[in-house]
Amino acid sequence: MAFRQALQLAACGLAGGSAAVLFSAVAVGKPRAGGDAEPRAPEPRGWSGGARPGPGVWDSNWDRREPLSLINLRKRNVESGEEELASRLDHYKAKATRHIFLIRHSQYHVDGSLEKDRTLTPLGREQAELTGLRLASLGLKFSKIVHSSMTRAVETTDIISKHLPGVSRVSTDLLREGAPIEPDPPVSHWKPEAVYYEDGARIEAAFRNYIHRADAKQEEDSYEIFICHANVIRYIVCRALQFPPEGWLRLSLNNGSITHLVIRPNGRVALRALGDTGFMPPEKITRS
């Protein structure tokens, strides 16, 4: 029906540009072969915070820290006008840039029957040493290391920490490995034991808790390390860049790799490195 209506409108003298747009919309929205139902947009996941902006539209308040969104405009004093508003906005504006280094744990014994038995392999320990050396060589003033509470992430952190003396460590269950969201396109052979709904809410909580612009009280740029897992990192990257999070499984990360996200004071996000292992000899690189 929609296609026939488009032909009729075009025949009635629609301008070339309008007709082109209309035909394009019909082509994109036409139902699959064999079906009469009109297509429906996919519903947002329960933990995703509602519908995302359309393609090419950047949500400047993605972390809910856009200054204007933090002010109750209903309580605004009409007499003070724009001057007071500007002052209040300045109070909530971030001043510093956050540099977030997401490290995937090193190679581990995948055949361990219990999680505590899935310790790092000898090669995995070498990888962690190389990652620690690489981070130390950057000469940055790292403020903290936040790591997953799973055995392979804890052991990776133990080794990396030796190269960054004085940097505090924090363990969290939020960064544990899991299935963040059902991947698109689906992968028939990849069936996680955990339920997407349960893991997805937790990993989304990790994103909201750790990935955001700097607090307004932060004066200097910060450099933070998060040591966790491939699924968590891939999902975080997609969410931070406002790419469809269902595409997380299309990315691939090596063991001990470094992913570098930058969050500017205005909320803009940049990806400086994704799964970097260029500092490792080729024979030391794995993805297990």
Side-chain angles (χ1 to χ4, degrees), residues 5 12 16-17 31 39 47 69 93 100 130 133 168 172 196 199 208 247 261-262 279 286:
Q5 289 176 342
C12 290
W47 59 87
S69 71
K93 283 182 180 178
I100 295 174
L130 291 168
L133 286 168
S168 62
T172 176
Y196 288 111
D199 280 359
R208 297 188 188 190
L261 279 174
V262 180
F279 51 88
T286 62

Side-chain angles (χ1 to χ4, degrees), residues 56-75:
V57 179
W58 176 260
D59 178 9
S60 61
N61 194 30
W62 62 274
D63 58 352
R64 301 301 184 266
R65 293 185 178 225
E66 185 69 16
L68 192 59
S69 71
L70 300 175
I71 296 177
N72 188 344
L73 295 177
R74 293 183 179 181
K75 294 183 178 180

Side-chain angles (χ1 to χ4, degrees), residues 169-180:
R169 295 174 47 172
V170 179
S171 177
T172 176
D173 291 339
L174 288 179
L175 291 174
R176 292 174 72 90
E177 184 64 303

Side-chain angles (χ1 to χ4, degrees), residues 132-162:
L133 286 168
R134 172 58 176 169
L135 290 170
S137 73
L138 298 177
L140 301 173
K141 186 180 179 181
F142 292 107
S143 57
K144 63 180 178 180
I145 298 175
V146 182
H147 63 87
S148 159
S149 57
M150 297 185 82
T151 301
R152 54 190 181 271
V154 173
E155 291 190 343
T156 301
T157 303
D158 289 340
I159 296 172
I160 290 177
S161 291
K162 294 189 304 181

Side-chain angles (χ1 to χ4, degrees), residues 6-286:
L7 288 175
Q8 292 170 359
L9 288 172
C12 290
L14 270 175
S18 300
V21 171
L22 182 56
F23 285 134
S24 175
V26 171
V28 171
K30 65 181 180 181
R32 296 178 180 177
D36 297 325
E38 290 294 326
R40 293 182 299 176
E43 296 181 1
R45 300 304 193 272
W47 59 87
S48 64
R52 296 187 300 274
V57 179
W58 176 260
D59 178 9
S60 61
N61 194 30
W62 62 274
D63 58 352
R64 301 301 184 266
R65 293 185 178 225
E66 185 69 16
L68 192 59
S69 71
L70 300 175
I71 296 177
N72 188 344
L73 295 177
R74 293 183 179 181
K75 294 183 178 180
R76 179 181 170 189
N77 187 338
V78 178
E79 295 182 359
S80 58
E82 297 301 323
E83 185 175 342
E84 183 197 5
L85 178 59
S87 176
R88 293 173 65 189
L89 284 174
D90 188 63
H91 175 74
Y92 289 106
K93 283 182 180 178
K95 307 173 186 64
T97 295
R98 293 183 68 204
H99 293 263
I100 295 174
F101 293 80
L102 299 160
I103 314 298
R104 189 192 175 195
H105 60 77
S106 302
Q107 186 190 66
Y108 68 104
H109 294 285
V110 297
D111 55 352
S113 56
L114 300 175
E115 194 279 317
K116 66 181 181 65
D117 299 323
R118 295 167 189 166
T119 56
L120 297 185
T121 65
L123 175 56
R125 301 188 71 82
E126 289 184 60
Q127 291 170 339
E129 292 282 359
L130 291 168
T131 303
L133 286 168
R134 172 58 176 169
L135 290 170
S137 73
L138 298 177
L140 301 173
K141 186 180 179 181
F142 292 107
S143 57
K144 63 180 178 180
I145 298 175
V146 182
H147 63 87
S148 159
S149 57
M150 297 185 82
T151 301
R152 54 190 181 271
V154 173
E155 291 190 343
T156 301
T157 303
D158 289 340
I159 296 172
I160 290 177
S161 291
K162 294 189 304 181
H163 299 279
L164 301 170
V167 180
S168 62
R169 295 174 47 172
V170 179
S171 177
T172 176
D173 291 339
L174 288 179
L175 291 174
R176 292 174 72 90
E177 184 64 303
I181 194 171
E182 188 171 0
D184 183 20
V187 180
S188 59
H189 66 273
W190 196 82
K191 296 180 180 179
E193 298 175 2
V195 181
Y196 288 111
Y197 186 79
E198 295 176 354
D199 280 359
R202 173 178 57 78
I203 297 172
E204 173 66 18
F207 172 79
R208 297 188 188 190
N209 191 53
Y210 296 118
I211 311 301
H212 52 75
R213 74 193 76 184
D215 187 273
K217 296 179 182 179
Q218 182 177 325
E219 298 291 339
E220 298 181 352
D221 294 354
S222 59
Y223 302 87
E224 306 158 50
I225 297 172
F226 293 83
I227 301 176
C228 50
H229 310 269
N231 296 353
V232 178
I233 295 172
R234 292 184 284 186
Y235 178 78
I236 284 176
V237 168
C238 288
R239 286 283 282 113
L241 297 177
Q242 298 188 26
F243 294 162
E246 297 86 356
W248 63 272
L249 197 54
R250 304 173 207 170
L251 307 179
S252 181
L253 298 175
N254 295 333
N255 294 115
S257 61
I258 300 174
T259 295
H260 182 184
L261 279 174
V262 180
I263 306 179
R264 301 292 183 190
N266 61 2
R268 300 289 177 86
V269 181
L271 181 65
R272 289 204 177 167
L274 176 66
D276 177 30
T277 49
F279 51 88
M280 292 187 186
E283 66 274 12
K284 303 292 184 184
I285 297 175
T286 62

